[in-house]
Amino acid sequence: MFDVIVAGAGPTGLMLAAELRLHGVRVLVLERDPAPSGQSRALGLHVRSIEVLDQRGLLDRFLPLGQRFAVGGIFAAIRTPWPERLDTAHSYILAVPQTTTERLLAEHAAEAGAEVRRGAELVGLTQDSGGVTVELADGSRVQARYLVGCDGGRSTVRRLLGVGFPGEPAVSETMLGEFEVGVSPEELAAVVAEVRHRSERFGTMPLGGGVYRVIVPAEGFSKTPPTLEEFKQRLREFAGTDLGVHSPRWISRFGDGTRLAERYRVGRVLLAGDAAHVHPPTGGQGLNLGLQDAFNLGWKLAAEVNGWAPQGLLDTYHAERHPVAAAVLDNTRAQSELLSSEPGARAVRRLVAELMEFEEVNRHLIEKVTAIGVRYDFGAGHELAGKRLRDIGLKRGRLYELTRTGRGVLLDQNGALSARGWADRVDHVVDVSEELDVPAVLLRPDGHVAWAGEGQEDLRGHLERWFGAPGA
């Protein structure tokens, strides 16, 4: 019997599996597809996801395989400068294909000891007070104490649970694919420049080796991927040329609908990533949102499995991440409206572009998309409480180097505090930082500030709140 079964070996499921393994949890990942799809729908990692990778010592694997960009235009493709002095040590976007992200996370999960079974399709589940039984398409059954559905927007786990998935239906659809093109770079740039005056939903992106990602508004809706000829015909209708696209790597379509699961937890079964929320890819937030779900859930579920979780800790996963997803759905829907070619929407777009010339407006919107503006509601307390803390320099290194084990961190600048009783869950570090103007901070394993201040009694209450009863 496993401790946790994760349904889905995409970025969310693989990240979650690795997080659980940090704490010795026995994990099985079930993936329906026999091999990775090879499609790179997502092309980049935002600031908070980059921080997450750094917190676990993974960033050095990703940086050589991607490109760093500190350019504006990620909110509704409105071309404003990248904000200065973002509250992060990683003020850039890392352009890296989803296929690379999945491969590196799969390697990380395997190194951590997670078992991944491909070609294993989940078709049924039952649960009781002792655990969850999963039925596979081949008729076999697997048991675990918990199950997490990371199986995408058409999640089988969510459907079997009967969790509602309300939202707004799509009102437009877009086709995209990766192709070689038959025109010169100069001609391609000229076509894009001319058409973008009419629609921000058209464009191309070079991927190297003569391959381009091409995106064009669809006409109507369809449940099947477009063929090459359909894609070329739509390009001719919309752009006046099919750009000579040929040799497709893959072709797909997506709508601008938004849906959010009513609950992220039903008993011993939880939802994460696209299984919990779907939205348009505007701003490139989907993969990042799922990684951050996994980062929030992993340590809490591990605490439950390992028997030290304080009462209600696992329920804070829904309480914290559901509002974050709702905000992402709001901002992606708003961006979709700003990308419309309708006269009213274009007028609003011009107004928003004017407002984004103000530094604070630009910063606010970029913080939304990159997720560094997320603050969980921990109630009354220090202004840092609920925020994630950026990587700060210490006298003997830097903060994120202390978070690699997935444990809590008590950073004590005066050496006046103690985490005795929680030493198996929290590392007490006495060090100083010129970038931190509070005597001490208690970080959860996901890097969010659980407490900031001074005073042992005040600290004790927060240790108990987030890390359970003290041990011997």
Side-chain angles (χ1 to χ4, degrees), residues 106-233:
E107 292 172 359
H108 174 52
E111 291 167 6
E115 179 181 343
V116 179
R117 294 184 193 171
R118 290 194 170 272
E121 181 180 3
L122 183 153
V123 296
L125 68 88
T126 57
Q127 64 170 313
D128 57 30
S129 60
V132 183
T133 300
V134 166
E135 181 182 351
L136 303 182
D138 64 5
S140 63
R141 287 177 168 79
V142 189
Q143 293 182 314
R145 296 171 64 184
Y146 291 90
L147 166 68
V148 185
C150 303
D151 51 342
R154 295 182 176 87
S155 170
T156 300
V157 173
R158 187 187 63 241
R159 176 178 57 80
L160 292 172
L161 283 177
V163 171
F165 203 40
E168 298 296 323
V171 296
S172 66
E173 195 166 74
T174 303
M175 297 195 299
L176 77 161
E178 294 180 1
F179 313 85
E180 296 180 35
V181 301
V183 298
S184 68
E186 293 76 18
E187 182 178 348
L188 184 63
V191 171
V192 171
E194 192 280 325
V195 179
R196 287 290 283 267
H197 285 299
R198 295 188 280 112
S199 175
E200 297 289 340
R201 290 171 55 211
F202 172 82
T204 64
M205 175 185 297
L207 300 176
V211 176
Y212 287 79
R213 170 169 288 200
V214 183
I215 182 169
V216 62
E219 185 175 24
F221 294 86
S222 176
K223 294 184 178 180
T224 60
T227 65
L228 174 60
E229 186 51 45
E230 288 172 337
F231 202 101
K232 294 173 70 172
Q233 178 61 30

Side-chain angles (χ1 to χ4, degrees), residues 127-355:
Q127 64 170 313
D128 57 30
S129 60
V132 183
T133 300
V134 166
E135 181 182 351
L136 303 182
D138 64 5
S140 63
R141 287 177 168 79
V142 189
Q143 293 182 314
R145 296 171 64 184
Y146 291 90
L147 166 68
V148 185
C150 303
D151 51 342
R154 295 182 176 87
S155 170
T156 300
V157 173
R158 187 187 63 241
R159 176 178 57 80
L160 292 172
L161 283 177
V163 171
F165 203 40
E168 298 296 323
V171 296
S172 66
E173 195 166 74
T174 303
M175 297 195 299
L176 77 161
E178 294 180 1
F179 313 85
E180 296 180 35
V181 301
V183 298
S184 68
E186 293 76 18
E187 182 178 348
L188 184 63
V191 171
V192 171
E194 192 280 325
V195 179
R196 287 290 283 267
H197 285 299
R198 295 188 280 112
S199 175
E200 297 289 340
R201 290 171 55 211
F202 172 82
T204 64
M205 175 185 297
L207 300 176
V211 176
Y212 287 79
R213 170 169 288 200
V214 183
I215 182 169
V216 62
E219 185 175 24
F221 294 86
S222 176
K223 294 184 178 180
T224 60
T227 65
L228 174 60
E229 186 51 45
E230 288 172 337
F231 202 101
K232 294 173 70 172
Q233 178 61 30
R234 185 55 183 157
L235 283 173
R236 289 190 289 265
E237 293 170 351
F238 195 82
T241 172
D242 63 15
L243 304 175
V245 296
H246 64 93
S247 305
R249 289 180 174 177
W250 56 271
I251 312 175
S252 187
R253 65 174 81 236
F254 63 87
D256 63 349
T258 54
R259 295 193 178 277
L260 179 60
E262 291 178 335
R263 292 180 288 170
Y264 280 17
R265 180 188 180 191
V266 178
R268 291 179 171 269
V269 185
L270 300 102
L271 301 171
D274 289 352
H277 40 70
V278 295
H279 53 83
T282 41
Q285 298 167 87
L287 182 151
N288 292 273
L289 184 60
L291 286 181
Q292 294 154 30
D293 284 347
F295 205 57
N296 182 284
L297 174 59
W299 70 277
K300 297 174 181 177
L301 186 52
E304 197 73 31
V305 168
N306 290 328
W308 60 259
Q311 184 175 3
L313 178 66
L314 194 52
D315 288 327
T316 66
Y317 169 61
H318 171 95
E320 293 174 2
R321 296 304 296 172
H322 194 272
V324 171
V328 170
L329 266 61
D330 280 348
N331 87 57
T332 55
R333 176 61 80 186
Q335 290 184 73
S336 294
E337 293 295 322
L338 294 173
L339 292 170
S340 170
S341 59
E342 293 297 318
R346 301 299 284 181
V348 175
R349 179 184 177 83
R350 290 191 291 272
L351 177 60
V352 172
E354 288 183 22
L355 293 174

Side-chain angles (χ1 to χ4, degrees), residues 380-429:
H382 194 277
E383 63 178 10
L384 287 176
K387 295 182 177 181
R388 102 280 180 259
L389 193 60
R390 73 176 186 276
D391 189 23
I392 58 175
L394 304 172
K395 187 176 181 180
R396 297 190 298 273
R398 57 190 183 92
L399 179 65
Y400 282 7
E401 292 172 339
L402 304 176
T403 65
R404 302 286 161 81
T405 61
R407 293 153 53 90
V409 175
L410 173 60
L411 177 59
D412 179 3
Q413 297 205 88
N414 296 329
L417 301 172
S418 172
R420 189 170 16 204
W422 291 271
D424 59 332
R425 289 154 267 172
V426 178
D427 293 325
H428 180 200
V429 178

Side-chain angles (χ1 to χ4, degrees), residues 27 63 261 291 312 379 419 439:
V27 182
L63 288 177
L291 286 181

